[in-house]
Amino acid sequence: MTERTIPLTNITDDLPCDSAVEVCTPGEGKPESGITRRKFVKNTSGMSAASLLGTAALMTNSDDAHATSEWAEWFQGNYRLMSDEEKQEAVDRLERRYSAEYGKDVTVDTTPAQEGVLFGYALNIQKCIGCRRCVKACVEENNQSRGEAQETEWIRVLKMEKGEFSEAKMGEGYPDDYGIQVGGNAYTAAGVVIEGEHYYEPEKVPEEDSFYMPIACMQCEKPPCVKVCPVRTTYREPDGIVVIDYNWCIGCRMCIGACPYWARRFNWGEPNLPKDQMNPVTHYLGNRPRMKGVVEKCTFCIQRTRKGRYPACVEVCPVGARKFGNLLDPESEVRRVLASKRVFRMKADMNTYPKFFYYVD
Amino acid sequence: MRVLDTGIRRSTSACLRVIRCGVLVLGLTTAATSVAQDCFESRQNASKVTVKESADGQVNVKCSETTGGVLWWGDPYDATVPMGEMPIEADYDHGEAVVKSRTKQLAMFPVCGTACHNGTFPPPNDDKTPRTLTMHTDVVPDATNLQHGRGAIWCLDCHHSETRNHFTDHSGNLIDMNEPQKLCGKCHGPAYRDWRGGLHGKRIGEWASTGKKRWFVCTECHNPHDVQQGERNSGFAQLESEPAPRLPKGLENADHERHHGGH
C-alpha cells in the first residue's frame, strides 16, 4: 500500500459543495452515516501497511465469507497497479462473492485492451426516434440499479423541439417570460440546445416536430473526469474506454462535476439489482455489481466489446442509428461514417475530444 | 465549468437537489418481472422472436414488457441463415454475413406461387395502372393509393408477374423473397450502397469488419407497401417508447422542461 503512488492526501472527509451542480450542503442530508468509504480511506491513510494488514487479519476471522471478501476488497490495490496475480486474486474473490449473492455463476472478466484497437461510436441523430430501447438495453446489460429507491440509467435521450419561426410570434423568443429581447426573434426554441425534454412520454415516437438526441459517456480523449479524480480511480484504457475501478472510488463526485456531458451517475444508496435480472457476464472495469458510494457510467459495454461483440445499445436500436467499431480500421462502420457523412462532436469547444460522434446522412 | 450548457446543469442540479432534501424512500421493488414470451425486432408485426434459453443458461433475447420489442440480444445469430450471393461489388465478404429468412414470416408465401398465381392465371399483366383489388386488402388497404412511390410504381414493379413467389429485377429476372435488398436496391441506389457498407440499417454480432454479423434486411424495418405513413411521410412506422426515467424525488411532474426559459 505504501508504495503506491496514488495521492490520498488531498481527500477531505466532507467535500466542499460543488457549487456548479449544487450537490451538497455541509451537514445536511449527507447520503449515509456510519463508515463510508471516504471516511475509511481517510482514517486509514495515515496508518502503516502493517497495521492495515493487522486489521484485515482480524476481520477475516469472521465466518462470514461475504464479509471476508468485502474486507479483502478494502485492501486491494488500484486495479491499474495490480500484478496479474493480484488481479486474479481480486477477481476470484469477487466471483465468489457475486455468485453467492446472486445465486448464479458470475464471471468477472479482466480481458485487457487489444492492440491496434481504438473504439469509436457514431450516432445518427437523423434516424433516432427516441424510443429509449438503448436506455433499457443498457440497464439489462450493465447491471444498473433499478426500482423506486434508486434508478440508474447511463443513457439519457433528450427530445428536441423543431421549433418555429412565424410572423405570429414576432416579438416572442427565448427566454419567453423574461421580456428579454434578443433582436428580431419570432420563434419557439429550435435546434440542438442540449436543453431537451428528458421525461417525454407520448403514445408513439417519433412525435411530430421533434427529434431526439441520446447522450452518454463520450469516452473523451482528454477526459475532464480523469483529470479531476483525486485517487486516479478513473482513467483511460489503451483502447480509449474511460473506466472506473469501483473499489478505489471514494465517492467524492468531482468527476460528476467535471463532466460536461452529464454522463456519470452516483450510487447514493445501495444499488438494487434483482437476482433474476442480474447479468452474470461481467468485466471488472464494467458491469460488475457496484456498491453504495461509487460513481458509474457507460464503458462502451467493455465486457462485450473486449470480446468482440457490439455494445448492447447498438444491437437493440430498431432504426440502426448506432454504429460502433475500431477507429483504426478504415473498413469499420465508424470510420465509414466519418468518411462519408456529416459529423459533429458534442461541445467540441471544451477540448474534450469525444470519441462519440453524431452524424446525419 | 461555467460554460456548461445551462440545460444539463439545471436538470442535474434539480435531481441532486431533491436527493439532498433527504426523501430517500426505501421501498425496493422486488416484484419479480415475468418474461414476455415473444417480441418483435424493428418493425412491428414484421418479425417475431421467441425467447428461449441457450446452452450457457442465458437467453437469446429479452423482451420489453412495456412495448413488446426486443430489449437485449443474447444470441445475435439465433435462427439465421447465410446471406447468400451478393453482387460482385458488395463489400460484406470480409466477414461472415447471416440473415433471417423473410419467407418464414410471410403468411401468403407458401401458397402464393401456386394456389392462386400459377404463372398463367391470373394472366400476367403488364398494365401497371393502379386499380382496386379484391384481394390483399390486408396487405395493401388501398391499392389505388399505394403508399410507396407516389404513383410511380405498382405491384408488378416489385412482384414478378408470372412467378409470384419471387420479386423481379429491372430485366424481369427472379429475385428470391429472402433477398429484398436486391429488389429495393434496384431503385434505391444510395440507401443500398450505405446498407452494404453497414451504415444504413443495422447489423448485430461482432464489431470487427472481419467479424460475423447478422444483417437486417430492408423489409425488417420498412413496410414495402407503406413507406410514406400518410402525413408523417416517413419510411419507418412509429413505435411505442420505453418508459421515461423516474422523476427526481419530490418533483411531481416534468412541466418545467416544457417551458423553455420561463418557469
Side-chain angles (χ1 to χ4, degrees):
Chain A
M1 197 95 166
T2 40
E3 294 146 27
R4 316 275 184 211
T5 51
I6 296 182
L8 285 164
T9 44
N10 53 357
I11 300 161
T12 54
D13 188 23
D14 251 322
L15 281 150
C17 269
D18 184 335
S19 54
V21 289
E22 295 174 46
V23 177
C24 56
T25 310
E28 187 199 324
K30 265 187 286 157
E32 207 50 49
S33 58
I35 296 193
T36 64
R37 176 168 303 261
R38 188 194 302 153
K39 273 188 190 146
F40 183 85
V41 174
K42 192 207 175 195
N43 294 343
T44 53
S45 59
M47 296 182 200
S48 70
S51 72
L52 277 177
L53 290 174
T55 323
L58 278 177
M59 297 311 296
T60 47
N61 282 341
S62 150
D63 297 337
D64 187 353
H66 179 136
T68 309
S69 47
E70 282 216 327
W71 270 100
E73 280 169 45
W74 284 110
F75 298 101
Q76 80 189 35
N78 181 305
Y79 184 74
R80 251 190 311 177
L81 305 176
M82 282 188 209
S83 66
D84 285 349
E85 296 89 76
E86 283 172 318
K87 275 185 191 166
Q88 195 53 51
E89 251 172 59
V91 159
D92 288 346
R93 202 156 54 219
L94 287 172
E95 285 183 344
R96 242 178 292 128
R97 175 157 75 80
Y98 294 148
S99 298
E101 225 164 286
Y102 293 95
K104 49 179 132 184
D105 269 341
V106 180
T107 53
V108 180
D109 182 30
T110 54
T111 307
Q114 253 178 66
E115 225 165 288
V117 172
L118 187 65
F119 286 125
Y121 205 117
L123 194 150
N124 189 338
I125 46 166
Q126 196 176 342
K127 286 222 160 62
C128 175
I129 57 171
C131 69
R132 294 199 188 95
R133 275 207 221 170
C134 50
V135 177
K136 307 294 171 187
C138 175
V139 171
E140 292 288 344
E141 172 69 27
N142 289 297
N143 289 326
Q144 284 98 322
S145 176
R146 48 209 84 177
E148 184 95 34
Q150 179 172 296
E151 184 189 66
T152 304
E153 291 173 347
W154 292 350
I155 307 175
R156 190 50 72 88
V157 186
L158 303 181
K159 174 184 146 186
M160 306 288 169
E161 277 174 55
K162 284 200 176 142
E164 69 164 326
F165 288 83
S166 72
E167 204 144 355
K169 294 198 169 169
M170 202 67 198
E172 288 177 24
Y174 177 82
D176 309 334
D177 296 353
Y178 299 115
I180 302 166
Q181 293 303 312
V182 221
N185 49 335
Y187 61 93
T188 44
V192 180
V193 287
I194 329 271
E195 185 163 327
E197 289 178 26
H198 298 228
Y199 302 101
Y200 65 88
E201 207 149 39
E203 242 162 64
K204 296 259 168 142
V205 289
E207 296 160 86
E208 229 187 300
D209 295 327
S210 321
F211 62 99
Y212 303 86
M213 178 125 167
I215 49 173
C217 176
M218 306 277 157
Q219 317 293 349
C220 304
E221 219 121 298
K222 293 182 185 244
C225 53
V226 168
K227 284 187 205 163
V228 300
C229 178
V231 289
R232 298 196 194 160
T233 194
T234 189
Y235 61 95
R236 264 190 81 209
E237 286 272 291
D239 53 9
I241 304 177
V242 176
V243 294
I244 302 166
D245 177 357
Y246 309 115
N247 282 76
W248 267 71
C249 178
I250 56 168
C252 72
R253 310 192 298 286
M254 300 274 278
C255 54
I256 294 180
C259 175
Y261 304 105
W262 190 54
R264 290 174 167 256
R265 306 286 185 271
F266 186 62
N267 285 288
W268 290 96
E270 203 59 62
N272 173 41
L273 175 57
K275 287 181 188 177
D276 60 328
Q277 292 171 30
M278 191 255 178
N279 175 7
V281 184
T282 76
H283 191 285
Y284 184 94
L285 298 170
N287 61 340
R288 71 184 168 103
R290 276 79 66 187
M291 45 287 208
K292 182 166 76 185
V294 304
V295 171
E296 56 181 76
K297 65 162 194 74
C298 160
T299 64
F300 278 171
C301 282
I302 195 166
Q303 64 284 354
R304 288 165 75 104
T305 50
R306 288 253 171 108
K307 297 275 189 197
R309 260 304 269 288
Y310 281 115
C313 51
V314 170
E315 294 200 338
V316 87
C317 176
V319 292
R322 291 171 167 272
K323 304 293 164 196
F324 177 84
N326 183 1
L327 286 167
L328 306 180
D329 173 7
E331 297 287 296
S332 71
E333 284 150 31
V334 248
R335 275 292 290 279
R336 286 190 179 160
V337 168
L338 297 184
S340 67
K341 304 291 175 186
R342 274 139 274 196
V343 174
F344 70 94
R345 308 197 209 196
M346 199 199 271
K347 300 190 190 179
D349 49 319
M350 309 271 311
N351 285 339
T352 45
Y353 297 92
K355 280 192 295 322
F356 191 104
F357 303 88
Y358 293 90
Y359 73 100
V360 292
D361 279 319
Chain B
M1 285 303 298
R2 294 286 151 213
V3 278
L4 280 187
D5 242 57
T6 50
I8 290 204
R9 179 138 40 106
R10 195 181 312 142
S11 39
T12 312
S13 63
C15 51
L16 294 178
R17 208 180 307 129
V18 170
I19 291 172
R20 186 188 65 191
C21 303
V23 258
L24 272 171
V25 189
L26 277 151
L28 302 188
T29 41
T30 42
T33 41
S34 61
V35 185
Q37 278 316 288
D38 51 43
C39 41
F40 71 97
E41 300 183 336
S42 276
R43 172 159 73 95
Q44 219 150 359
N45 304 322
S47 64
K48 207 169 85 176
V49 207
T50 305
V51 179
K52 56 176 193 237
E53 212 164 291
S54 38
D56 57 356
Q58 294 269 55
V59 283
N60 55 339
V61 291
K62 288 184 189 169
C63 300
S64 163
E65 284 170 61
T66 330
T67 65
V70 172
L71 258 203
W72 182 83
W73 289 94
D75 179 4
Y77 314 122
D78 178 40
T80 56
V81 294
M83 179 144 81
E85 291 290 303
M86 284 283 287
I88 194 92
E89 77 276 23
D91 29 19
Y92 75 89
D93 56 350
H94 299 304
E96 200 181 334
V98 295
V99 292
K100 269 196 186 173
S101 157
R102 283 309 299 154
T103 50
K104 284 202 179 124
Q105 306 277 351
L106 300 175
M108 288 281 179
F109 179 76
V111 293
C112 67
T114 47
C116 306
H117 303 279
N118 64 8
T120 52
F121 185 84
N125 189 346
D126 278 339
D127 179 10
K128 291 179 182 171
T129 324
R131 59 195 160 85
T132 313
L133 297 179
T134 46
M135 290 295 292
H136 306 310
T137 47
D138 53 332
V139 178
V140 187
D142 180 6
T144 59
N145 182 24
L146 181 64
Q147 295 281 297
H148 192 159
R150 304 186 189 281
I153 64 170
W154 213 48
C155 319
L156 301 187
D157 285 315
C158 296
H159 296 280
H160 198 277
S161 64
E162 284 145 50
T163 316
R164 286 295 157 90
N165 54 8
H166 280 72
F167 302 126
T168 178
D169 73 5
H170 281 320
S171 324
N173 301 315
L174 303 180
I175 295 173
D176 194 299
M177 284 189 89
N178 282 322
E179 300 180 299
Q181 64 272 19
K182 290 185 184 169
L183 168 71
C184 316
K186 77 178 186 181
C187 297
H188 295 291
Y192 182 48
R193 208 161 53 222
D194 269 358
W195 179 81
R196 285 199 328 253
L199 301 191
H200 192 101
K202 87 171 185 187
R203 304 142 144 191
I204 62 179
E206 293 167 352
W207 52 259
S209 52
T210 50
K212 177 176 176 180
K213 298 174 203 290
R214 171 194 164 189
W215 295 50
F216 281 65
V217 299
C218 318
T219 51
E220 285 174 301
C221 294
H222 299 289
N223 179 347
H225 308 113
D226 185 2
V227 291
Q228 282 166 216
Q229 305 276 316
E231 290 282 289
R232 286 192 57 240
N233 201 11
S234 163
F236 196 88
Q238 282 172 298
L239 295 176
E240 234 178 294
S241 74
E242 295 297 324
R246 273 166 215 272
L247 287 165
K249 304 234 161 53
L251 202 62
E252 255 141 50
N253 57 52
D255 286 350
H256 64 284
E257 62 178 19
R258 307 228 162 81
H259 312 293
H260 292 284
H263 281 269

